[in-house]
Amino acid sequence: MDIYVLLKRTFDTEEKIVVSDGRIEDESAEYIINPYDEYSVEEAIKQRDELGGEVTIVTVGDEEAEKQLRTGLAMGADKAVLINTEDDLEDGDQYSTAKILQIYFEDKEADLILGGNVAIDEASGQVGPRLAEALGINYVTTITALEIDGDTAKIDKDVEGDVEKIETSLPLLVTCQQGLNEPRYPSLPGIMKAKKKPLEELEIDDLDLDEDDVEAKTETIEVFLPPEKEAGRVLEGEIDDQVKELISLLKDDAKLL
Ligand SMILES: Cc1cc2nc3c(=O)[nH]c(=O)nc-3n(C[C@H](O)[C@H](O)[C@H](O)COP(=O)(O)OP(=O)(O)OC[C@H]3O[C@@H](n4cnc5c(N)ncnc54)[C@H](O)[C@@H]3O)c2cc1C
């Protein structure tokens, strides 16, 4: 089985994020593997251990993403590929990322490609389905169970809390949802081994692409944080008075009644 994982380096939304001039300040953000991509790495390793083959992790990004790729290798993936766009492209969007990945995959014989359901930063959930459409292969999003037997894949798909049972065939792209598995932490021997595992670096020239081929189709006008929440108010006094005050606040101030 040739198994591939699409991995995105994202900023950590649990940490403080500073926005200035309509952009997130890179220097102040903490970067991690997109959490949904950790499910993909774990699932890829599990499927490989069961069915044989090799797991390759692919990222479109810059050289900073090497750290997250090494973490994926330390978890147990076999190889990593960084498609480094830093020197060639200034801007990009979901179209650009999917197009770059499409060209990368065109001469590969991928049996299974796993991506995250969404990236926690831009959260469009587009890259996986766009890539599968471009490659002309089957895809199922938000999966919570995967069983492969020969060319057949049996899948549980999360549908807003319900489960849809799907049977489809390889080659296949899936996007992974919380609940699919419990991603492992890299072990110390894993971290040591990862330093020696192959990490190939490509530029878009190596894929015979130039800037025009992957020019973004959308433009981000501004990025801003949600407004700060106002402090709550605690009502005091007799309970009957509190109820009256609450109703009047809901009616007159909040205009909810
Ligand atoms: C050249 C270039 C320049 C860019 N410049 C900017 C910029 O200036 N500002 C900005 O905000 N964004 C920039 N981007 C990023 C881009 O806008 C999106 O973040 C990216 O296309 C993913 O979209 P998403 O976050 O909505 O991912 P989703 O579609 O929500 O991600 C779902 C899954 O797709 C896969 N995936 C997503 N992105 C990647 C990736 N890069 N590599 C591998 N797998 C991936 C992962 O499995 C992920 O879990 C740039 C992208 C490129 C290619």
Side-chain angles (χ1 to χ4, degrees):
M1 285 269 286
D2 269 339
I3 306 174
Y4 288 83
V5 172
L6 311 175
L7 183 144
K8 185 179 184 192
R9 170 183 182 260
T10 59
F11 54 80
D12 189 347
T13 48
E14 309 257 304
E15 297 292 328
K16 190 172 164 58
I17 290 165
V18 179
V19 174
S20 67
D21 293 332
R23 297 220 156 220
I24 290 157
E25 276 184 13
D26 266 2
E27 306 73 46
S28 57
E30 289 290 325
Y31 284 87
I32 54 170
I33 296 178
N34 178 40
Y36 290 97
D37 301 348
E38 291 182 351
Y39 300 123
S40 306
V41 177
E42 178 64 36
E43 193 60 29
I45 295 167
K46 277 173 60 183
Q47 296 292 342
R48 176 208 57 201
D49 290 349
E50 218 175 294
L51 304 166
E54 203 169 58
V55 174
T56 306
I57 305 179
V58 187
T59 289
V60 179
D62 59 28
E63 143 176 307
E64 304 286 331
E66 201 180 312
K67 187 173 166 211
Q68 284 70 33
L69 288 172
R70 289 278 172 214
T71 304
L73 292 171
M75 285 170 77
D78 301 289
K79 296 193 295 188
V81 178
L82 170 62
I83 306 174
N84 191 339
T85 55
E86 200 171 13
D87 295 337
D88 302 311
L89 300 171
E90 233 179 69
D91 255 327
D93 63 2
Q94 288 76 7
Y95 166 80
S96 323
T97 305
K99 182 78 189 173
I100 292 167
L101 289 169
Q102 176 198 341
I103 303 302
Y104 169 78
F105 277 105
E106 262 173 5
D107 64 353
K108 310 284 176 297
E109 301 221 336
D111 298 298
L112 178 65
I113 304 175
L114 300 108
N117 165 29
V118 290
I120 56 164
D121 49 4
E122 289 176 60
S124 70
Q126 289 189 23
V127 171
R130 275 178 182 267
L131 174 61
E133 281 287 339
L135 295 174
I137 62 172
N138 295 332
Y139 67 93
V140 183
T141 55
T142 58
I143 73 155
T144 52
L146 174 65
E147 199 190 308
I148 295 174
D149 186 5
D151 275 350
T152 307
K154 287 188 180 157
I155 294 172
D156 284 1
K157 173 182 163 66
D158 170 48
V159 193
E160 309 256 325
D162 274 336
V163 178
E164 193 179 337
K165 301 264 180 201
I166 294 175
E167 195 170 309
T168 184
S169 59
L170 306 186
L172 173 69
L173 184 147
V174 291
T175 71
C176 302
Q177 171 69 306
Q178 191 173 13
L180 175 63
N181 53 43
E182 200 56 54
R184 69 194 71 189
Y185 287 104
S187 63
L188 194 57
I191 294 169
M192 301 312 286
K193 272 194 210 155
K195 292 184 181 159
K196 293 195 180 133
K197 288 185 180 173
L199 194 156
E200 185 186 8
E201 194 170 323
L202 300 172
E203 296 192 354
I204 64 160
D205 267 5
D206 300 313
L207 301 173
D208 282 335
L209 281 169
D210 63 34
E211 201 169 337
D212 292 345
D213 299 321
V214 293
E215 197 181 330
K217 302 278 188 201
T218 55
E219 186 189 352
T220 301
I221 310 290
E222 199 187 345
V223 173
F224 52 89
L225 295 170
E228 297 248 339
K229 274 197 184 150
E230 285 179 29
R233 197 174 138 195
V234 178
L235 303 180
E236 281 170 6
E238 292 297 321
I239 192 74
D240 288 355
D241 296 337
Q242 285 189 37
V243 170
K244 277 186 200 139
E245 195 181 347
L246 177 62
I247 289 172
S248 114
L249 285 169
L250 289 172
K251 244 189 195 162
D252 304 331
D253 283 23
K255 311 240 181 290
L256 289 173
L257 295 179

